[in-house]
Amino acid sequence: MTQKKILLLSVSAGAGHMRAAQAIEAHANLAGGAAVATHLDVMNYVSAGFRKLYTDFYIKLVNKAPALWGYLYHATNEAQADSSMQRLRRGVERLNTRALLREVEAFRPDAIICTHFLPAEILSRALRQGQLACPVWVQVTDFDLHRMWVHEHMSGYFAANDEVAFRMRDQGIADARVHVTGIPIMPAFAQAPPRAQAAAALGLDPRRTTILLMGGGAGLGSLDTVAARLLALEGDFQLIVLAGNNAAALAALRQLAARHPGRLLAQGFTDQVERLMACADLVITKPGGLTTSECLAMGLPMIVNSPIPGQEERNADFLLEQGVALKAFDGVTLEYRVRHLLANPAKLAEMRAKAVALGRAGAADAVLARVLAGAAGAATTAGTAAGTAATTGAAATDAGVAA
């Protein structure tokens, strides 16, 4: 059986869109799969100025002026598609993404999956103008739906949950094109090692309550400050702090760990986060769509902090409503939430059970199954159309000869 060629298009403006595409790619490329997938960052096919505006400006805005980003998020969600500003925006995008269309044409995919709204918008126009024939699908990467994700001529949409699917239908997407799959995450989160094995590899005690603090401490203070505050709490627990690529934070955390032997593990960048999560009873994190989906797949309760206005606020609302997370507004609130959960193991167990019920470790496989079924259907339709055209042409030729 010939493998289908799947093209994944994302944008390196925030990590979540890229990680979703990488997760689908990893699942597709497992040995013996029915598809071979390739992931492209759209920003590698635009002008330098457009790339800087689209990625650097976004990152600076959410970090330095989150309230302004929140305003823009809501304003663009309410904007009319035919307004002069929206037409200007789409015109600028078209001028700066011509190389992307050439790359897509050269790749000749059997299907395309977009994990960001920009390529979906560009390809919607290409489909309308007959410049692209293969099916294009859209994977929304948050527990919310912004109108910039919604475009004509898409073969289907993948939603994180029933509410997002409801919002899709409310935006005019046909029910048959809406599929609730969850948000794709890496295969490793469905294959994480047992807690005892992961803890032994990291030098942790698997019998002790373990808290995992992830990412930046925006709104709560620096990571070492937050860690020090947590370590001052009563209770027999150990703490893992993931500093990522922040070398200064990692150095400060290691100094703190030396003062608290056996209680703090300072971890730099790792591509095996599932091993850290396998050891944890509670995660403190920002409510990004991908990170929280990973936590749910691992059955982990969360304390969410410092959501980006807009999509992360909606993510946080969903998690709180489902009873799998609490929210910390500042360092004081974080300390209170942690104290409360440490003192109420039954509450923590209840949150874990709800997280397990919500987790969708197989989201990427569900997406691929639907896309491959659609690609096979499209190929059959195309083959039937080609056969019909050939038969019609042959009949016309025979008629000409007879005449």
Side-chain angles (χ1 to χ4, degrees), residues 152-178:
E152 297 178 339
H153 311 295
M154 300 292 102
S155 292
Y157 277 78
F158 301 112
N161 57 27
D162 289 331
E163 182 177 351
V164 174
F166 182 86
R167 294 178 69 85
M168 288 175 175
R169 291 188 287 269
D170 185 65
Q171 289 289 331
I173 301 172
D175 184 63
R177 298 186 181 217
V178 175

Short mmCIF file of all heavy atoms in Angstrom, two decimals, residues 152-178:
data_model
loop_
_atom_site.label_atom_id
_atom_site.label_comp_id
_atom_site.label_asym_id
_atom_site.label_seq_id
_atom_site.Cartn_x
_atom_site.Cartn_y
_atom_site.Cartn_z
N GLU A 152 -13.42 29.07 4.65
CA GLU A 152 -14.15 28.25 3.70
C GLU A 152 -13.23 27.21 3.05
O GLU A 152 -12.01 27.37 3.05
CB GLU A 152 -14.78 29.12 2.62
CG GLU A 152 -15.82 30.10 3.16
CD GLU A 152 -16.39 30.98 2.06
OE1 GLU A 152 -15.73 31.11 1.01
OE2 GLU A 152 -17.48 31.52 2.25
N HIS A 153 -13.85 26.19 2.50
CA HIS A 153 -13.18 25.17 1.68
C HIS A 153 -12.29 24.22 2.48
O HIS A 153 -11.55 23.43 1.87
CB HIS A 153 -12.36 25.83 0.56
CG HIS A 153 -13.11 26.87 -0.21
ND1 HIS A 153 -14.20 26.56 -0.99
CD2 HIS A 153 -12.94 28.21 -0.30
CE1 HIS A 153 -14.67 27.67 -1.54
NE2 HIS A 153 -13.93 28.69 -1.14
N MET A 154 -12.33 24.28 3.79
CA MET A 154 -11.59 23.31 4.58
C MET A 154 -12.34 21.97 4.59
O MET A 154 -13.56 21.93 4.67
CB MET A 154 -11.41 23.79 6.03
CG MET A 154 -10.67 25.12 6.18
SD MET A 154 -8.91 25.05 5.71
CE MET A 154 -8.95 25.79 4.07
N SER A 155 -11.60 20.87 4.52
CA SER A 155 -12.24 19.55 4.52
C SER A 155 -12.78 19.18 5.88
O SER A 155 -13.72 18.39 5.99
CB SER A 155 -11.24 18.49 4.05
OG SER A 155 -10.93 18.67 2.68
N GLY A 156 -12.17 19.71 6.93
CA GLY A 156 -12.66 19.40 8.26
C GLY A 156 -11.88 20.14 9.33
O GLY A 156 -10.79 20.66 9.09
N TYR A 157 -12.46 20.15 10.53
CA TYR A 157 -11.87 20.82 11.70
C TYR A 157 -11.79 19.83 12.84
O TYR A 157 -12.71 19.03 13.06
CB TYR A 157 -12.73 22.01 12.12
CG TYR A 157 -12.46 23.27 11.34
CD1 TYR A 157 -12.96 23.44 10.05
CD2 TYR A 157 -11.69 24.29 11.89
CE1 TYR A 157 -12.70 24.59 9.33
CE2 TYR A 157 -11.44 25.45 11.17
CZ TYR A 157 -11.94 25.60 9.90
OH TYR A 157 -11.67 26.74 9.18
N PHE A 158 -10.70 19.91 13.60
CA PHE A 158 -10.51 19.07 14.77
C PHE A 158 -10.57 19.94 16.02
O PHE A 158 -9.83 20.92 16.15
CB PHE A 158 -9.19 18.32 14.68
CG PHE A 158 -9.10 17.45 13.46
CD1 PHE A 158 -8.22 17.74 12.44
CD2 PHE A 158 -9.92 16.34 13.35
CE1 PHE A 158 -8.15 16.95 11.31
CE2 PHE A 158 -9.85 15.53 12.22
CZ PHE A 158 -8.98 15.84 11.20
N ALA A 159 -11.45 19.55 16.94
CA ALA A 159 -11.72 20.34 18.14
C ALA A 159 -11.21 19.64 19.39
O ALA A 159 -11.18 18.40 19.46
CB ALA A 159 -13.22 20.59 18.28
N ALA A 160 -10.84 20.45 20.38
CA ALA A 160 -10.33 19.90 21.64
C ALA A 160 -11.42 19.25 22.47
O ALA A 160 -11.17 18.30 23.20
CB ALA A 160 -9.66 21.02 22.45
N ASN A 161 -12.64 19.77 22.37
CA ASN A 161 -13.73 19.25 23.18
C ASN A 161 -15.07 19.59 22.54
O ASN A 161 -15.13 20.24 21.49
CB ASN A 161 -13.65 19.78 24.62
CG ASN A 161 -13.67 21.31 24.67
OD1 ASN A 161 -14.21 21.97 23.79
ND2 ASN A 161 -13.08 21.87 25.71
N ASP A 162 -16.15 19.17 23.18
CA ASP A 162 -17.49 19.37 22.62
C ASP A 162 -17.86 20.85 22.53
O ASP A 162 -18.56 21.26 21.61
CB ASP A 162 -18.52 18.63 23.47
CG ASP A 162 -18.43 17.12 23.33
OD1 ASP A 162 -18.01 16.66 22.25
OD2 ASP A 162 -18.76 16.41 24.29
N GLU A 163 -17.40 21.65 23.50
CA GLU A 163 -17.75 23.07 23.47
C GLU A 163 -17.10 23.77 22.28
O GLU A 163 -17.73 24.59 21.60
CB GLU A 163 -17.33 23.76 24.77
CG GLU A 163 -17.71 25.23 24.80
CD GLU A 163 -17.37 25.91 26.12
OE1 GLU A 163 -16.98 25.21 27.07
OE2 GLU A 163 -17.50 27.15 26.18
N VAL A 164 -15.84 23.48 22.01
CA VAL A 164 -15.18 24.06 20.84
C VAL A 164 -15.89 23.61 19.56
O VAL A 164 -16.09 24.41 18.64
CB VAL A 164 -13.68 23.69 20.81
CG1 VAL A 164 -13.03 24.18 19.53
CG2 VAL A 164 -12.96 24.28 22.03
N ALA A 165 -16.29 22.35 19.51
CA ALA A 165 -17.04 21.85 18.35
C ALA A 165 -18.36 22.60 18.19
O ALA A 165 -18.77 22.94 17.07
CB ALA A 165 -17.30 20.35 18.51
N PHE A 166 -19.03 22.88 19.29
CA PHE A 166 -20.28 23.65 19.26
C PHE A 166 -20.03 25.05 18.69
O PHE A 166 -20.81 25.55 17.87
CB PHE A 166 -20.85 23.74 20.67
CG PHE A 166 -22.17 24.47 20.77
CD1 PHE A 166 -23.36 23.80 20.56
CD2 PHE A 166 -22.21 25.83 21.05
CE1 PHE A 166 -24.58 24.48 20.65
CE2 PHE A 166 -23.41 26.52 21.13
CZ PHE A 166 -24.59 25.83 20.93
N ARG A 167 -18.94 25.65 19.11
CA ARG A 167 -18.60 26.99 18.61
C ARG A 167 -18.27 26.94 17.12
O ARG A 167 -18.57 27.88 16.37
CB ARG A 167 -17.41 27.56 19.40
CG ARG A 167 -17.72 27.85 20.85
CD ARG A 167 -16.50 28.39 21.60
NE ARG A 167 -16.14 29.72 21.14
CZ ARG A 167 -16.69 30.84 21.59
NH1 ARG A 167 -17.64 30.79 22.51
NH2 ARG A 167 -16.29 32.00 21.13
N MET A 168 -17.65 25.86 16.67
CA MET A 168 -17.37 25.71 15.24
C MET A 168 -18.66 25.68 14.43
O MET A 168 -18.80 26.37 13.41
CB MET A 168 -16.57 24.42 15.00
CG MET A 168 -15.13 24.48 15.47
SD MET A 168 -14.31 22.87 15.28
CE MET A 168 -12.62 23.31 15.76
N ARG A 169 -19.61 24.88 14.90
CA ARG A 169 -20.89 24.79 14.19
C ARG A 169 -21.62 26.13 14.22
O ARG A 169 -22.26 26.52 13.24
CB ARG A 169 -21.75 23.68 14.79
CG ARG A 169 -21.19 22.28 14.53
CD ARG A 169 -22.16 21.20 14.97
NE ARG A 169 -22.23 21.09 16.42
CZ ARG A 169 -21.46 20.29 17.15
NH1 ARG A 169 -20.56 19.50 16.56
NH2 ARG A 169 -21.60 20.25 18.46
N ASP A 170 -21.49 26.85 15.34
CA ASP A 170 -22.12 28.17 15.43
C ASP A 170 -21.51 29.16 14.45
O ASP A 170 -22.17 30.12 14.04
CB ASP A 170 -21.98 28.71 16.87
CG ASP A 170 -22.72 30.01 17.09
OD1 ASP A 170 -23.96 30.00 17.00
OD2 ASP A 170 -22.06 31.05 17.32
N GLN A 171 -20.24 28.95 14.07
CA GLN A 171 -19.57 29.80 13.10
C GLN A 171 -19.88 29.38 11.66
O GLN A 171 -19.31 29.93 10.71
CB GLN A 171 -18.06 29.77 13.32
CG GLN A 171 -17.60 30.48 14.58
CD GLN A 171 -17.72 31.99 14.48
OE1 GLN A 171 -17.65 32.57 13.40
NE2 GLN A 171 -17.95 32.64 15.61
N GLY A 172 -20.76 28.41 11.49
CA GLY A 172 -21.19 28.03 10.15
C GLY A 172 -20.47 26.83 9.56
O GLY A 172 -20.71 26.48 8.40
N ILE A 173 -19.59 26.18 10.33
CA ILE A 173 -18.92 24.98 9.83
C ILE A 173 -19.91 23.81 9.89
O ILE A 173 -20.54 23.58 10.92
CB ILE A 173 -17.67 24.66 10.66
CG1 ILE A 173 -16.68 25.84 10.60
CG2 ILE A 173 -16.99 23.40 10.17
CD1 ILE A 173 -15.51 25.70 11.55
N ALA A 174 -20.06 23.10 8.79
CA ALA A 174 -21.02 22.01 8.72
C ALA A 174 -20.70 20.94 9.76
O ALA A 174 -19.53 20.63 10.01
CB ALA A 174 -21.01 21.38 7.32
N ASP A 175 -21.74 20.38 10.34
CA ASP A 175 -21.56 19.39 11.41
C ASP A 175 -20.70 18.21 10.96
O ASP A 175 -19.88 17.71 11.73
CB ASP A 175 -22.94 18.89 11.86
CG ASP A 175 -22.84 17.93 13.04
OD1 ASP A 175 -22.38 18.36 14.12
OD2 ASP A 175 -23.19 16.76 12.87
N ALA A 176 -20.84 17.79 9.72
CA ALA A 176 -20.09 16.64 9.21
C ALA A 176 -18.60 16.94 9.13
O ALA A 176 -17.79 16.00 9.04
CB ALA A 176 -20.61 16.24 7.84
N ARG A 177 -18.22 18.21 9.16
CA ARG A 177 -16.81 18.58 9.05
C ARG A 177 -16.17 18.85 10.41
O ARG A 177 -15.00 19.22 10.47
CB ARG A 177 -16.65 19.80 8.16
CG ARG A 177 -17.13 19.53 6.74
CD ARG A 177 -16.85 20.68 5.81
NE ARG A 177 -17.33 20.38 4.48
CZ ARG A 177 -16.73 20.72 3.35
NH1 ARG A 177 -15.60 21.38 3.39
NH2 ARG A 177 -17.24 20.41 2.18
N VAL A 178 -16.91 18.70 11.48
CA VAL A 178 -16.42 18.97 12.83
C VAL A 178 -16.16 17.65 13.54
O VAL A 178 -17.05 16.80 13.63
CB VAL A 178 -17.44 19.82 13.61
CG1 VAL A 178 -16.97 20.01 15.05
CG2 VAL A 178 -17.65 21.18 12.93
#
